[in-house]
Amino acid sequence: MTTLAEEVLAGSRLALARLLTLIENEDPQGEAALDRLFPHSGRAHWIGVTGSPGAGKSSLVNRLAQAFRRPADGSPPRTVAIVAVDPSSPFTGGALLGDRVRMRDLSGDPGVFIRSMASRGALGGLARTTPAVVQALDSAGFDIILIETVGAGQSEVEIARLAHTVLVVEAPGMGDDIQAIKAGILEIADILVLNKADLPGAENALRTLRAMLELGRPPHEETAESLPVVWRPPLVPTIATQNEGIAELLGHIQAHAAYLRQSGGWQVRDRSRLQTQLEELLQTALLKRWRSSLPEGQYQQILTDLQARRISPYQALHSLLGEPPLPQSIQRGSTALFNA
Amino acid sequence: MTTLAEEVLAGSRLALARLLTLIENEDPQGEAALDRLFPHSGRAHWIGVTGSPGAGKSSLVNRLAQAFRRPADGSPPRTVAIVAVDPSSPFTGGALLGDRVRMRDLSGDPGVFIRSMASRGALGGLARTTPAVVQALDSAGFDIILIETVGAGQSEVEIARLAHTVLVVEAPGMGDDIQAIKAGILEIADILVLNKADLPGAENALRTLRAMLELGRPPHEETAESLPVVWRPPLVPTIATQNEGIAELLGHIQAHAAYLRQSGGWQVRDRSRLQTQLEELLQTALLKRWRSSLPEGQYQQILTDLQARRISPYQALHSLLGEPPLPQSIQRGSTALFNA
């Protein structure tokens, strides 16, 4: 008799799909299997792909998957998992439509595994379970994991940030060019892609993006060995539907991986991600443990006092933790700063 | 000598602006002042305005502010605060541009206060400090607080969710109509607005939105007194630039406030928001307290073991909390389900 984790390690796609469903449902059985798989994780290259809706991220991800499967330079094919994080509901058809396109391009290749995560209304759940899903795919032995998110919002950006390499994808003529490019997104870009580079306005968009990259760039620094110690995000024009620019993009992705391994950035991103994960587990566990030690009536009473504005949130906190409230001196301090 | 909190209560706009800056910087002095102001909060109507980029939210918010200032039905003017949450960086000009438009429309009215929150690269900070900023404005005595977010992402949606009343604003021809409307956003709409209703495609967009609303609607229920116990989100076409549909929209907002007060929903939303706030404070405080009781070397060693994949995140958690690891029986349980 084999465990689910062992089946996943043996390469069963069915077992992997079951595991991911357990993880998405936050089932303790999924957590247990994931924990068992954890020693096998840490080898995949996580690539986040984010950017404005309509920039053509899905087509680009499909082309990248195909390129990793049949490298133009004749190097051995890499196995690829795609995680598409789509906050559209099933009834809008968004996620399903994307899947149908993917299936046409990538189906039949056993070296490609595709998982769409639609929210089904549970907005918070996506952000919570995506890291675990990617970790499961990493443990299952995929070389490359492409994480595609609609990068207009903070949480989507944070999901993309999980990755070793972050691609930010824009397209010309997405409404107001200047407002469309969020600085928060630009700041996390390891590689900036202008897709649909054959559309009108592409030259203008390239100029704007180049100017923004120049503005955001740290001064050029070199080590004694003349290796760049900072990564300069390249700007790569592509036309995913015509497979143009994909080989060049792949080259930049591989160069970024090499840079990360050389600079130690790979380990830094890995450790920081694991620390975040551990601290989230700790916060939840500590709150749960503390709540179980507290009479339920006391907690509800404090909430009622809070709602009636009889006590403030900080007074509630300190009362629950059995600590003295904030000293008046802090408040006096703030006053002293601002009053004559 | 008066405190900053007292100056805010006395109506000083300068003191209020200083307080908001302290809060945005997560300065303990801001927290102390906010805590002192807390008993004065809980009276404002919080209205969240979210939706796709380019839907004309800023213009709509300006028009709403003007309408609240000079109600068409001759009722007394309400004071209005606007919080514009814009993840654009200063150097893209997004937030500044929006401010300039606002200034033109609303400047010189002492009954209107405007605060733009731009991220300056700190993506996480916006979500953390926005509720406190709104609470400060509530305590400062504004009747209406309009919270405007670019609602394409999860966190922006969560910010809008703070509100008593959530407006979701769309416009015709925003790329692919069907994909643009995220179900997650539609689900939080108390009022759905189609702005720019004079653009081509408006009829089609209205039809699509109406169909989506029908799909998402719970069956009609009535109480014994024939009062609707569920709120049916209305669909309101507007042309903000021409001030069309604004009076009707205002009517729906006031009807929603009346509904919330009658149904008890007002209290439910208030309590749930305060509970979330308290639990976030508790989680942070508990983690901090627990960390301070732990030798730093032990924590770093566990992180190193985690990174080397010698232990798993759950093993790390249980080891740090001094609990036994997950029993094997859970893993066997999951196996039994899936193996013959």
Side-chain angles (χ1 to χ4, degrees):
Chain A
M1 203 168 112
T2 56
T3 66
L4 183 61
E6 283 161 357
E7 286 185 59
V8 169
L9 289 176
S12 162
R13 293 289 182 262
L14 192 58
L16 180 58
R18 282 169 177 163
L19 171 61
L20 299 186
T21 301
L22 288 172
I23 292 170
E24 285 181 348
N25 295 338
E26 303 186 65
D27 187 311
Q29 296 177 350
E31 291 175 356
L34 191 60
D35 223 45
R36 196 175 260 213
L37 285 167
F38 183 76
H40 301 274
S41 72
R43 285 173 305 165
H45 184 187
W46 298 23
I47 303 169
V49 182
T50 191
S52 303
K57 290 182 295 296
S58 298
S59 308
L60 192 77
V61 162
N62 290 2
R63 290 297 188 180
L64 277 175
Q66 291 171 332
F68 276 116
R69 294 298 297 145
R70 289 178 230 98
D73 62 1
S75 58
R78 324 284 303 273
T79 54
V80 179
I82 299 173
V83 181
V85 179
D86 186 339
S88 305
S89 153
F91 84 78
T92 67
L96 294 175
L97 195 71
D99 279 357
R100 230 172 301 147
V101 173
R102 276 182 218 292
M103 286 308 145
R104 196 193 57 205
D105 293 348
L106 300 167
S107 71
D109 182 345
V112 176
F113 184 89
I114 300 163
R115 184 74 174 194
S116 282
M117 300 180 67
S119 81
R120 301 182 195 88
L123 282 164
L126 269 184
R128 254 197 328 269
T129 59
T130 304
V133 162
V134 178
Q135 202 173 288
L137 293 166
D138 186 335
S139 308
F142 290 97
D143 299 317
I144 303 291
I145 303 174
L146 291 159
I147 310 160
E148 178 194 329
T149 72
V150 177
Q154 190 169 312
S155 294
E156 288 76 10
V157 169
E158 275 161 18
I159 291 171
R161 258 182 140 151
L162 294 171
H164 298 103
T165 302
V166 178
L167 273 57
V168 171
V169 186
E170 299 293 340
M174 308 279 300
D176 183 335
D177 273 343
I178 294 186
Q179 289 219 9
I181 317 290
K182 309 285 187 311
I185 282 190
L186 206 65
E187 281 161 20
I188 64 160
D190 296 309
I191 298 170
L192 189 58
V193 181
L194 185 80
N195 193 32
K196 304 188 179 179
D198 53 341
L199 285 189
E203 276 312 311
N204 193 32
L206 280 172
R207 233 187 337 267
T208 307
L209 290 172
R210 202 167 286 127
M212 291 173 83
L213 279 179
E214 289 299 330
L215 266 177
R217 260 180 195 171
H220 186 63
E221 288 175 41
E222 300 205 352
T223 61
E225 298 82 18
S226 225
L227 282 172
V229 292
V230 288
W231 173 259
R232 294 164 160 270
L235 172 60
V236 189
T238 58
I239 310 168
T241 51
Q242 294 169 40
N243 211 23
E244 277 185 37
I246 303 299
E248 198 197 356
L249 179 57
L250 198 72
H252 285 292
I253 292 173
Q254 284 163 339
H256 188 252
Y259 159 77
L260 282 181
R261 293 198 181 277
Q262 206 164 17
S263 66
W266 191 280
Q267 280 68 34
V268 170
R269 292 194 185 201
D270 191 43
R271 190 180 180 99
S272 141
R273 184 172 65 230
L274 290 170
Q275 179 165 0
T276 302
Q277 191 186 348
L278 180 60
E279 290 192 348
E280 278 168 11
L281 287 175
L282 275 168
Q283 282 191 333
T284 308
L286 287 167
L287 183 64
K288 198 172 156 194
R289 180 195 268 195
W290 174 84
R291 274 289 295 274
S292 71
S293 73
L294 192 79
E296 182 61 20
Q298 189 187 343
Y299 191 69
Q300 292 302 331
Q301 183 57 49
I302 292 233
L303 275 179
T304 301
D305 289 344
L306 197 57
Q307 194 173 6
R309 269 71 181 174
R310 282 190 290 270
I311 56 171
S312 75
Y314 281 93
Q315 285 167 342
L317 174 70
H318 297 299
S319 147
L320 283 168
L321 293 180
E323 287 170 355
L326 283 177
Q328 286 295 314
S329 60
I330 292 182
Q331 295 189 27
R332 275 198 216 101
S334 86
T335 306
L337 273 176
F338 296 120
N339 290 289
Chain B
M1 200 171 116
T2 56
T3 66
L4 184 60
E6 283 160 357
E7 287 184 59
V8 169
L9 289 176
S12 162
R13 292 287 182 264
L14 191 58
L16 180 58
R18 282 169 178 161
L19 171 61
L20 299 185
T21 301
L22 288 173
I23 292 171
E24 285 182 348
N25 294 338
E26 301 185 66
D27 187 309
Q29 296 177 348
E31 290 175 357
L34 192 60
D35 221 45
R36 198 176 259 214
L37 286 167
F38 183 76
H40 302 275
S41 72
R43 285 173 306 166
H45 184 187
W46 298 22
I47 303 169
V49 181
T50 190
S52 303
K57 291 181 295 295
S58 298
S59 308
L60 192 77
V61 162
N62 290 2
R63 290 297 188 179
L64 277 175
Q66 291 171 332
F68 276 115
R69 294 297 297 145
R70 288 177 230 99
D73 62 1
S75 58
R78 324 285 302 276
T79 53
V80 179
I82 299 173
V83 181
V85 178
D86 186 339
S88 305
S89 154
F91 83 80
T92 68
L96 295 176
L97 195 72
D99 278 357
R100 231 172 300 148
V101 174
R102 276 181 219 292
M103 287 307 145
R104 196 192 57 203
D105 293 349
L106 300 167
S107 71
D109 182 345
V112 175
F113 184 89
I114 301 163
R115 183 73 175 195
S116 282
M117 301 180 65
S119 79
R120 302 182 193 89
L123 281 164
L126 270 184
R128 257 199 323 271
T129 59
T130 304
V133 162
V134 178
Q135 202 172 287
L137 293 166
D138 186 335
S139 307
F142 290 98
D143 299 318
I144 303 291
I145 302 174
L146 291 159
I147 310 159
E148 178 194 329
T149 72
V150 176
Q154 188 169 313
S155 294
E156 288 76 10
V157 169
E158 275 161 20
I159 292 170
R161 259 182 140 151
L162 294 170
H164 298 104
T165 301
V166 178
L167 273 57
V168 172
V169 186
E170 298 293 339
M174 310 277 300
D176 182 333
D177 272 342
I178 295 188
Q179 289 219 9
I181 317 288
K182 308 285 187 312
I185 283 188
L186 208 63
E187 281 160 22
I188 63 159
D190 296 309
I191 298 170
L192 191 57
V193 180
L194 186 79
N195 193 31
K196 304 188 179 179
D198 53 341
L199 285 189
E203 277 310 312
N204 194 32
L206 281 172
R207 234 188 334 268
T208 307
L209 290 173
R210 203 167 284 127
M212 291 171 84
L213 279 179
E214 290 297 332
L215 267 176
R217 261 182 192 170
H220 186 64
E221 286 174 43
E222 300 204 352
T223 61
E225 299 82 19
S226 227
L227 282 172
V229 291
V230 289
W231 172 260
R232 295 164 157 271
L235 172 59
V236 189
T238 58
I239 310 168
T241 51
Q242 295 168 38
N243 211 22
E244 277 186 37
I246 303 299
E248 199 198 354
L249 179 56
L250 199 71
H252 285 291
I253 291 172
Q254 285 163 338
H256 188 251
Y259 159 78
L260 282 181
R261 294 198 182 277
Q262 204 164 19
S263 66
W266 191 281
Q267 280 68 33
V268 170
R269 292 194 187 201
D270 190 43
R271 189 180 181 101
S272 141
R273 185 173 65 231
L274 289 170
Q275 179 165 1
T276 302
Q277 191 186 348
L278 180 59
E279 291 191 349
E280 278 167 12
L281 287 175
L282 275 168
Q283 281 191 333
T284 307
L286 287 168
L287 183 64
K288 199 172 155 194
R289 178 194 271 195
W290 173 86
R291 273 289 295 276
S292 70
S293 73
L294 192 77
E296 182 60 22
Q298 189 187 343
Y299 191 70
Q300 292 302 330
Q301 182 57 48
I302 290 222
L303 275 179
T304 300
D305 288 345
L306 197 57
Q307 194 174 6
R309 269 71 181 174
R310 281 190 292 268
I311 57 171
S312 74
Y314 281 93
Q315 284 167 345
L317 175 70
H318 296 299
S319 147
L320 283 168
L321 293 178
E323 287 171 355
L326 283 177
Q328 286 296 313
S329 60
I330 292 181
Q331 295 189 27
R332 276 201 215 98
S334 85
T335 307
L337 273 176
F338 296 121
N339 290 289

